[in-house]
Amino acid sequence: MSDPENTMDRKAFLTKSAVLLAGGAALANSALSYSRIAGANDRISLCHIGNGSRGEELDVIASQLKTSHNVEMTTVCDLWRVNREKAIATNAKYYGRTPRGFQYFEDVLALKDVDAVIISTPEHSHSPILKMAVEAGKDAYVEKPMGNVLAEAKAARDAVTKSGRIVQVGTQHRSEPYPRAAYELIQTGVLGDVSKVEIVWNYHGPRWRGRPESKLIREADTDWRKWLLTKPYRPFDPQMYCEFRLYKEFSSGIPDQWMSHAIDLVHWYMDDNFPRSVVANGGIYAWHDGRENADTFQALLEYPKGFLVSYSTSFGNDAPGFTRYMGKKATLFNIGGEGSPLYQLVEEKGNHEDDPDVDKQRSSKYVLLPGQTGIPPMGIDDMSTEHMANWFECLRSRQQPHCTVQTGFAHSVACIMAAQSYWSGKKLYWDAASETILDHA
Ligand SMILES: NC(=O)c1ccc[n+]([C@@H]2O[C@H](COP(=O)([O-])OP(=O)(O)OC[C@H]3O[C@@H](n4cnc5c(N)ncnc54)[C@H](O)[C@@H]3O)[C@@H](O)[C@H]2O)c1
């Protein structure tokens, strides 16, 4: 565990080196160059807040980087005793030292020897905890969506900007090699003018019902009022606690869970961050199990640069997923659902008016990594380490990571608008100047 005094010294040093890096071309700004500066070998002391299902994955990921990036999970924090104790035990195995366990994140934020926090609580608490974390001087990795209440997401973004803390938002595909290769390809202008992006990610099953934890959890083992955080009191409900993705006060479901990943990539690839307007529809057609959120959902988002995005998910049928960026010169296909590394570029070769046989002349190629010959796989799990590694590197270099709080705010706005449009039945407009959602143009 870090020594509090030394950690404070190091923190002051990190801030100082960040100023130098920002201001001076003389200093190279990579983690490597930082590692040559005195004090850089200090271990980064982490606390993980929210040790549930995604939390277990993030613990594995962080532990895989413990030596290469010199980090240690010194502290874990979860309201629920069972998950907290599990996280203490697994992290003790990963690091060979037992981390401290806390029930309340406020107590963790008061610890001087914690440098940075990982936040993987349910989405209704992401922005409020992020805001408090940076105000307490902690750097943070926060799961997606960054927020699902506009005022809270704004407040968190403003607090991060003011604090100068290094925040990575958990849309990890931005750090993975194939999406990055696709991004580079798009930057060459190979697609021509893109007028439409179509995304279809399906799944057959009553997703997110039936979490085994719902049958395990007892109110006495957690703190329900603290779990609700900013929401009005209601009686304890174990399904709401563990299957929050199905309940609209806590999550919008498909937009918060999946569209956040999808739209984040669109924003990055198209360099257009806020929709001009959004309209969405859907319903509960496949799984009548008491859920409030749609199991079938589609949103249409229009962007200022002049293109339309269609995002669609069905939980009642597994028809293969895809994303396509449709340009005048080529189409970029991402074959498969969320996070698929399989990208294919298909030429357009002109239009049908000029040549009725144009579709027979279109060549195609896969997007490959340097030196690669085979076809990439069609799916990956959520265990890629690059995003966490990028954050760790930025903690040392004080550079901005791949998914900043600005990009997190942008995906949050798109998802909040989609959810609000679905619930209200109205087409909604983003007023960029006032950062508000309007129901008229
Ligand atoms: N990036 C990805 O690919 C990915 C994948 C899965 C989940 N996620 C995100 O991770 C988040 C968590 O999902 P999950 O399935 O792990 O949920 P979960 O319910 O399994 O875990 C959440 C944990 O947080 C704890 N918790 C809740 N409020 C707390 C608070 N105020 N202080 C301390 N602990 C608190 C709960 O007790 C629980 O143990 C979701 O918002 C989801 O969007 C991201």
Side-chain angles (χ1 to χ4, degrees):
M1 218 166 281
S2 317
D3 167 49
E5 301 264 307
N6 285 341
T7 305
M8 286 309 286
D9 286 344
R10 186 168 68 79
K11 213 166 210 177
F13 181 78
L14 285 178
T15 308
K16 203 170 143 209
S17 69
V19 172
L20 285 172
L21 286 170
L27 272 179
N29 55 18
S30 67
L32 184 68
S33 63
Y34 179 76
S35 73
R36 293 195 185 115
I37 301 171
N41 288 331
D42 284 357
R43 187 163 296 163
I44 293 172
S45 165
L46 300 170
C47 172
H48 190 163
I49 304 170
N51 313 134
S53 161
R54 178 58 175 162
E56 279 184 39
E57 295 180 342
L58 292 172
D59 280 348
V60 175
I61 291 169
S63 73
Q64 287 171 347
L65 301 165
K66 69 177 179 184
T67 308
S68 56
H69 291 74
N70 199 11
V71 299
E72 180 175 347
M73 196 70 72
T74 62
T75 316
V76 300
C77 169
D78 200 292
L79 291 173
W80 186 21
R81 185 181 53 75
V82 172
N83 275 355
R84 187 170 66 246
E85 287 175 357
K86 226 194 297 174
I88 291 172
T90 50
N91 282 293
K93 251 193 295 164
Y94 296 151
Y95 296 92
R97 188 155 34 180
T98 303
R100 294 165 293 186
F102 285 85
Q103 183 173 23
Y104 298 112
F105 69 81
E106 293 87 343
D107 295 332
V108 164
L109 298 184
L111 295 175
K112 294 209 177 349
D113 66 334
V114 166
D115 301 315
V117 296
I118 297 172
I119 304 163
S120 57
T121 57
E123 41 259 36
H124 70 280
S125 48
H126 290 173
S127 316
I129 299 179
L130 174 62
K131 178 172 182 291
M132 290 172 73
V134 296
E135 285 172 349
K138 310 300 180 198
D139 296 316
Y141 181 108
V142 62
E143 265 306 342
K144 41 54 56 173
M146 192 200 92
N148 61 8
V149 172
L150 184 57
E152 292 175 358
K154 260 193 223 177
R157 179 208 53 189
D158 292 347
V160 173
T161 309
K162 195 168 156 209
S163 71
R165 293 291 104 203
I166 299 298
V167 172
Q168 175 88 296
V169 182
T171 37
Q172 71 271 18
H173 306 304
R174 272 203 202 209
S175 293
E176 291 163 357
Y178 288 98
R180 294 191 78 75
Y183 172 81
E184 296 301 335
L185 184 64
I186 290 175
Q187 300 319 296
T188 65
V190 69
L191 297 182
D193 288 339
V194 173
S195 52
K196 181 128 192 248
V197 182
E198 295 179 335
I199 304 160
V200 176
W201 291 353
N202 294 325
Y203 178 85
H204 192 154
R207 198 153 185 136
W208 294 282
R209 190 53 95 201
R211 292 282 289 254
E213 298 91 332
S214 309
K215 295 207 162 52
L216 273 178
I217 193 163
R218 294 182 310 127
E219 189 174 1
D221 288 334
T222 184
D223 188 328
W224 172 239
R225 280 177 195 268
K226 282 285 189 182
W227 187 91
L228 289 168
L229 200 64
T230 57
K231 308 296 182 191
Y233 181 76
R234 57 170 79 213
F236 178 65
D237 180 339
Q239 283 192 306
M240 207 168 266
Y241 193 107
C242 301
E243 299 164 8
F244 54 85
R245 292 160 168 92
L246 302 178
Y247 299 93
K248 71 176 197 183
E249 208 175 345
F250 306 101
S251 170
S252 61
I254 289 168
D256 275 358
Q257 286 303 306
W258 287 10
M259 197 183 114
S260 53
H261 279 300
I263 211 68
D264 179 63
L265 287 180
V266 174
H267 291 171
W268 184 38
Y269 286 176
M270 299 298 295
D271 189 25
D272 211 357
N273 278 310
F274 295 93
R276 180 160 41 210
S277 69
V278 181
V279 65
N281 213 337
I284 301 165
Y285 308 130
W287 305 105
H288 302 278
D289 55 9
R291 69 183 59 219
E292 293 173 359
N293 284 330
D295 57 31
T296 309
F297 181 86
Q298 186 150 0
L300 286 172
L301 307 96
E302 183 202 20
Y303 280 80
K305 278 192 174 171
F307 62 95
L308 188 68
V309 180
S310 165
Y311 176 86
S312 164
T313 286
S314 305
F315 286 164
N317 176 287
D318 236 348
F322 61 85
T323 300
R324 5 187 220 230
Y325 289 81
M326 302 159 70
K328 280 228 170 114
K329 291 202 262 179
T331 309
L332 181 70
F333 287 82
N334 182 210
I335 303 161
E338 188 206 315
S340 166
L342 185 55
Y343 286 84
Q344 188 181 33
L345 187 74
V346 180
E347 278 183 309
E348 274 292 286
K349 286 269 193 220
N351 68 55
H352 270 281
E353 305 286 315
D354 296 338
D355 181 352
D357 288 331
V358 70
D359 50 336
K360 300 192 183 87
Q361 300 159 29
R362 291 173 180 146
S363 65
S364 66
K365 64 171 186 184
Y366 290 107
V367 178
L368 302 176
L369 301 180
Q372 187 190 359
T373 47
I375 298 173
M378 248 179 74
I380 55 155
D381 54 28
D382 292 337
M383 299 301 291
S384 56
T385 55
E386 295 91 349
H387 205 51
M388 187 67 76
N390 171 245
W391 180 55
F392 288 155
E393 281 148 22
C394 292
L395 292 184
R396 293 191 189 280
S397 70
R398 309 312 287 174
Q399 299 296 299
Q400 286 300 313
H402 291 151
C403 287
T404 64
V405 76
Q406 312 296 344
T407 66
F409 180 64
H411 80 226
S412 300
V413 166
C415 294
I416 290 167
M417 288 179 74
Q420 273 186 25
S421 173
Y422 166 62
W423 287 111
S424 67
K426 288 181 180 166
K427 182 174 179 181
L428 298 177
Y429 299 82
W430 178 242
D431 184 64
S434 63
E435 293 195 322
T436 50
I437 298 169
L438 306 174
D439 63 2
H440 55 272

